[in-house]
Every structure is written in structure tokens, then in C-alpha cells.
Amino acid sequence: MIIGASGSIGTYAVQLAKRLGAEVTGVCGTSNVDLVRSLGADHVIDYHHENVHDTSKRWDVVFDTVGASSFADSESVLAERGVFVPTVISIRSLFGGAWTPITRGKKLVGGVSMNKREPLRYVTELLADDALRVVIDGTFPLDRIQDAHRHVDTGHKTGNVVIDVA
Ligand SMILES: NC(=O)c1ccc[n+]([C@@H]2O[C@H](COP(=O)([O-])OP(=O)(O)OC[C@H]3O[C@@H](n4cnc5c(N)ncnc54)[C@H](OP(=O)(O)O)[C@@H]3O)[C@@H](O)[C@H]2O)c1
């Protein structure tokens, strides 16, 4: 499950997870349901209408790209040895994530990759081959970079924002 599937990280995550053979559930708002499905998600949950943590379904991996949930929130929807991957790690998640593997086998995985070269080469090649779709929300000229930041800071952009420096 990819929470924030319509964001910058999320739109790539959906595509990469599909390429790697996962069955993907994308979580996004109503206006982005069609987009997330078009990126390859097998299932889409509209977070305006459904609470992703209030279900009997289970996922092997919950990747929360937008900091919408904690490890504790996600524990109930993780499979037996499921993994919670946040991009935004809260103190609450850190403690829960450290303790739970000892007691129940579910775990939190986070941090900065030490192996950057290979993953970057992989993504670069996919982009060069047009095998990865880049979703652009909008383009701002450099002298309107403050407006661009304001827009990004709303947490409601779709995909990526481009700054035109030419
Ligand atoms: N992008 C980067 O390069 C980057 C780099 C380092 C760190 N980060 C951090 O990583 C986090 C994610 O960044 P991002 O740029 O990928 O995010 P983003 O593009 O700002 O994500 C926004 C998208 O997430 C959706 N969304 C918001 N709340 C949601 C929820 N509760 N459930 C499901 N979808 C939700 C929004 O849809 P609606 O409009 O429908 O709400 C919107 O389409 C941020 O905290 C950012 O600071 C990002």
C-alpha cells in the first residue's frame, strides 16, 4: 500500500513497485483516483471516503510517502511480517518500530540509503527509456520560486513541480 500515491514520491513509488512485481494499492484523494490507476495501481483507495486503517485487509508493505500515519496506525493492517516504510519518521513511530519487531515481527524500515549509485542508475535508465512516467503538477519561472514553495507546502500537489531556470 502506497499512501500519498498521487504525490511526487508516490507517483514514482506506484510505478516502481509495479515493475518489481508487487500488487499495489494506491491511496489518494478523489481527484487523483484515475491518475493513480493509470500509473498501474491494482487497487485505489480514496482517503476522503475510506479510512485505510479501518479494514480487515492486510498488506506486506505500507509505504507512507506523506506522513499521514504512524507505525502504530499501520500495525493493524500489516501482514504477519509486514513492513512500515515512512518518509516522515515521528518519535512515536521510532519507539513503536524499535519495540514491535521483538514482540510481534512487524517492523519499521527507514533511513537514508547508503547504496545510491545503483538505484539512481536504475531510475535514470528507466527515465531515459521513457519507462517511467513523470507527473508534472505545474511549472514556475525562477522568479516565482516562492509561489512554487507555497504551492508545494500545501501538501496537495499532484506529482512534481518544475522550476524553469532558463
Ligand atoms: N518530493 C521530494 O523530492 C522530497 C524529498 C525529501 C523529502 N520529501 C518529503 O516527503 C514527503 C512527501 O513528499 P512528496 O513531494 O512526495 O509529497 P507531495 O507531492 O506533497 O504529496 C501530496 C499528495 O499526497 C496526497 N495526500 C495528502 N494527504 C494524503 C493522505 N492522508 N492520504 C493519501 N494521500 C494524501 C495529496 O492528495 P490530495 O491533494 O488529494 O490531498 C497530494 O496529491 C513530504 O513530507 C516531503 O517534505 C519529499
Side-chain angles (χ1 to χ4, degrees):
M1 170 159 65
I2 297 168
I3 301 176
S6 54
S8 175
I9 297 172
T11 49
Y12 291 118
V14 169
Q15 297 177 81
L16 290 169
K18 278 309 295 175
R19 286 195 80 82
L20 296 170
E23 181 180 347
V24 174
T25 301
V27 183
C28 62
T30 315
S31 56
N32 288 312
V33 167
D34 289 343
L35 167 75
V36 171
R37 201 166 277 130
S38 77
L39 294 171
D42 302 285
H43 318 279
V44 182
I45 296 175
D46 177 349
Y47 79 96
H48 295 302
H49 293 109
E50 219 178 304
N51 179 348
V52 293
H53 300 111
D54 186 15
T55 171
S56 56
K57 291 181 201 142
R58 296 289 177 271
W59 284 267
D60 297 312
V61 179
V62 174
F63 180 17
D64 183 352
T65 70
V66 287
S69 57
S70 66
F71 180 70
D73 296 329
S74 295
E75 226 192 307
S76 63
V77 296
L78 282 175
E80 193 75 10
R81 303 188 69 76
V83 177
F84 176 62
V85 186
T87 53
V88 182
I89 304 184
S90 65
I91 297 290
R92 198 166 141 238
S93 271
L94 261 186
F95 280 109
W99 179 245
T100 309
I102 300 166
T103 56
R104 289 194 284 278
K106 299 174 185 180
K107 62 181 178 186
L108 176 149
V109 173
V112 179
S113 171
M114 291 301 140
N115 173 16
K116 296 194 179 77
R117 197 175 290 251
E118 277 313 308
L120 275 181
R121 196 199 315 271
Y122 175 63
V123 171
T124 308
E125 282 172 8
L126 290 177
L127 287 166
D129 291 348
D130 272 338
L132 208 51
R133 199 168 132 201
V134 180
V135 178
I136 305 291
D137 179 289
T139 302
F140 291 79
L142 187 56
D143 61 3
R144 286 189 55 220
I145 194 164
Q146 290 187 344
D147 293 333
H149 273 285
R150 266 183 222 108
H151 180 52
V152 168
D153 287 347
T154 63
H156 294 292
K157 71 175 158 60
T158 301
N160 304 272
V161 162
V162 175
I163 304 299
D164 187 353
V165 294

